[in-house]
Amino acid sequence: MFVYADNAATTKMSKTAISAMTDYYENIYANPSSLHTAGQQAKEALEDARARVAACLGCEAREIYFTSGGSEADNQAILSAAKLGAMKGKKHIISTAFEHHAVLHTLNKLEKEGYEITLLDVSQGHNVTAGQVAEAIRPDTCLVTCMYANNEIGSVLPVAEIGKVCKEKGVLFHTDAVQAVGHLEIDVKKQNIDMLSLSGHKFHGPKGVGALYVRRGVMLSNLIEGGAQERGKRAGTENIPGIRGLAAALEEACANMEENNKKVVALRDKLIAGLSQIPHSALNGDPVNRLPGNVSFCFEGIEGESLLLMLDALGICASSGSACTSGSLDPSHVLLAIGRVHDVAHGSLRLSVCHYNTEEEIEHILACVPKVVQNLRNMSPVWRDLQTGKREYIL
Amino acid sequence: MALYSEVVMDHFMNPRNVGIIENADGVGEVGNAKCGDIMKIYLKIENDIIEDVKFETFGCGSAIASSSMATEMIKGKSIENALSLTNKAVAEALEGLPAHKMHCSVLAEEAIKSALKNYYEKNNIPYDKSQFPDCENCAHCHE
Ligand SMILES: Cc1ncc(COP(=O)(O)O)c(C=O)c1O
Ligand SMILES: [Zn+2]
C-alpha cells in the first residue's frame, strides 16, 4: 500500500488545478503585457485569478501580488516592513521562535544589518498568546510577523487576537499563512492582517507560485527589479498557468473546506489516538488549536531518519525533524523551541494528511508505526539504558 | 536515485549481529544522543580472535548499516585485523555513503576501537594509545 502522508511538505495537485493550467500552456500562452488580443486575453485571465484569490482571503484584488512561492512572499513582506520601519527610526521586529526558515533567515539577515529581533517563546502550550505579543511591542517596533500555523507541529496561532493587538498599537502585522490558506477560514480584514504569505503547493495547487496580500496603504519594496508587472512591485513575466492553477486550487479548497476538514480532522484524531498508545511518546504542538491534517510525535529512544526509511519501505511517506534528515547535527529548531531536548527531538515523526487519504491508509499507518518504533527500540542502546534504569525517561 | 545504495538498505533493513553479549570481553560506546548517533559494540574474544560481536545503535539508516557491516567485517578476525579496520573500508563495503553520512562509518570504526581498548584495559594488556581515537574530546559530538 502506498500512503502519502507528507502533505505539509507538499500536496498532490487536484484535477481541477491541473485542468485550469493546461489551457494556459496550450492555448492562452501570450504575454499579458502584450498589446495584441491574445495578450489581453492572458491579462484578463491573470486579473480574474487575482480577483478570485482576493475573494478567498476577504481582500481587494489590487491587494494581491503573485510571487514565486511562500518563501519569496515572506522575504518581500518582512524586508518591506523593515525598510518602512527604518525610515521612521523603528528597527525592532517581533516574531516567534518556531517560524519557517523563510522568515527566520530573513530576520537573521536584518539582525546583522542592525535591526533588533525578539523571538517569542513557544514552549508554553507549544504556541504563543496575543498577550506575549502585546508585552513585546515597544515604541520602536516596526513589525510583528507570526506564522498562522506551524508547518512541523501544527499549532494554529491566535492570529485574530494578535492582529487586534497590532492594530491597537499601530504596528504592522504580517503572517506566514502558507500552512493555513485553503485549510482554515481566513478573512484578512476581520483579522486585522496587514500582510499575508501563501503558497500554491500546500493546497493542491502548483509549486513555484505563491502570493502576498498587502493591505492597501502599506508600501511594498521590490525584491526583483525589472518590468512593471504586479503593479511595479515584482518584475518578471507572470507565470499565468501557475497563477491560474493556484487560484483554481484555492477556490476549490475554500469551497470544500468544511467538508474536507470534517474528514481530515477525523483521520488526524484517529492517528493521534492510535499513536498515543505507544509508550514513552508525546504529541508535539497545540492539542486544541491545531491544523486539521497535522500529526507530530516524538518517540523516545529512537532516531527519526531510520524511522522514516522503514516507513518508506512499507509505502508510507512521512517526515521528521531529526538532524539526520536535514544533514545537520541539530534537530529541528521547532522541536527545540517547544522544549524538546535533543535526545527526544531526534526521534520525531510528522504525518500530515489531507482529504485524499482514506481510513484504510490510516489503519495501515497505525499498524506499521508501533511495530517500526519497537523494532528500532529493540536495537537502540538508548532504549536499553532507559529500560534498565541507567538513563531516565524524559517522555 | 535512492538515498542509499542497495547494500546500505539491505544492512539497514536486515541488520546483522544486533543485540548484546552478556559478560562481553570488551564493550565500547561512542557518540551521544544529543548529536543523534550512538553505537555500542560488544566483543567476545578468545586467543586474540573475535569469536563473536554484537551491536546496538541509536541513529540514522547509515549508522545502523555501518554498524552491521563493520561487525560483519571483524567477526572471526584477529584483534590486529579488527584494529586496522578503517571507516573508509566500511563505507566502501557499503558501496558508498552520502558525504554528510560519512561520520556514521567513522563512528563504527571508533566503536570497535573503543571496545578493543576496553578489552585491553580490562585484561591489563599494554597497548599503543596512539592507535585509538580520543573519543572523549573529539569535536564531532563535543563541540
Ligand atoms: C510555514 C511555511 N512558510 C513558508 C514555506 C515556503 O513556501 P515555498 O515552498 O512555497 O517557498 C513553507 C513551505 O515549505 C512553509 O511551510
Ligand atoms: Zn554524531
Side-chain angles (χ1 to χ4, degrees), chain A residues 8-10 67-74 98-103 147-152 176-180 197-202 206-210 350:
Chain A
T10 196
T67 67
S68 66
S71 301
E72 184 188 328
D74 284 342
F98 65 1
E99 294 296 313
H100 190 271
H101 282 141
V103 169
M147 68 201 317
Y148 203 114
N150 185 276
N151 47 306
E152 288 188 37
D176 172 350
V178 167
Q179 291 288 334
S197 307
L198 64 92
S199 179
H201 71 106
K202 306 290 188 181
K207 304 178 212 323
V209 56
R350 179 187 71 184

Side-chain angles (χ1 to χ4, degrees), chain A residues 126-311:
Chain A
H126 301 182
N127 211 331
V128 287
T129 63
Q132 280 175 278
V133 175
E135 243 171 65
I137 291 179
R138 313 191 309 211
D140 64 338
T141 305
C142 62
L143 172 70
V144 170
T145 173
C146 292
M147 68 201 317
Y148 203 114
N150 185 276
N151 47 306
E152 288 188 37
I153 59 169
S155 299
V156 175
L157 282 69
V159 167
E161 290 172 46
I162 296 172
K164 191 158 166 265
V165 164
C166 292
K167 189 178 181 194
E168 281 165 10
K169 306 249 185 180
V171 177
L172 276 180
F173 175 41
H174 164 254
T175 184
D176 172 350
V178 167
Q179 291 288 334
V181 170
H183 303 281
L184 299 173
E185 201 91 49
I186 294 178
D187 186 317
V188 290
K189 303 292 164 184
K190 277 197 198 133
Q191 294 171 298
N192 291 306
I193 297 168
D194 296 312
M195 294 189 276
L196 175 146
S197 307
L198 64 92
S199 179
H201 71 106
K202 306 290 188 181
F203 46 80
H204 307 283
K207 304 178 212 323
V209 56
L212 177 60
Y213 149 77
V214 184
R215 181 172 57 75
R216 195 147 48 89
V218 176
M219 207 174 70
L220 200 57
S221 318
N222 287 53
L223 293 183
I224 300 174
E225 303 291 349
Q229 292 91 351
E230 297 302 298
R231 309 192 21 253
K233 298 303 179 190
R234 205 278 182 183
T237 301
E238 300 87 342
N239 172 9
I240 307 250
I243 289 166
R244 296 290 299 183
L246 181 150
L250 182 56
E251 256 181 354
E252 189 182 29
C254 291
N256 301 315
M257 195 181 290
E258 223 183 288
E259 192 191 327
N260 287 347
N261 281 354
K262 214 182 279 170
K263 178 180 175 188
V264 176
V265 164
L267 297 178
R268 174 197 74 186
D269 290 346
K270 187 170 173 156
L271 275 175
I272 291 178
L275 297 180
S276 299
Q277 304 290 312
I278 296 177
H280 305 290
S281 66
L283 178 72
N284 300 314
D286 191 319
V288 181
N289 300 306
R290 191 173 189 92
L291 279 173
N294 177 284
V295 177
S296 171
F297 273 87
C298 281
F299 302 112
E300 195 162 10
I302 63 166
E303 192 281 320
E305 194 223 56
S306 43
L307 178 58
L308 290 191
L309 282 175
M310 289 202 171
L311 291 178

Side-chain angles (χ1 to χ4, degrees), chain A residues 305-314, chain B residues 1-16 60-62 64-66 68-69 93-98:
Chain A
E305 194 223 56
S306 43
L307 178 58
L308 290 191
L309 282 175
M310 289 202 171
L311 291 178
D312 187 40
L314 293 162
Chain B
M1 245 293 279
L3 179 60
Y4 293 127
S5 73
E6 271 180 42
V7 185
V8 172
M9 282 312 289
D10 177 37
H11 277 263
F12 167 65
M13 295 299 289
N14 313 291
R16 324 320 191 234
C60 58
S62 59
I64 291 170
S66 297
S68 168
M69 180 57 87
L94 288 168
E95 292 184 356
L97 285 172

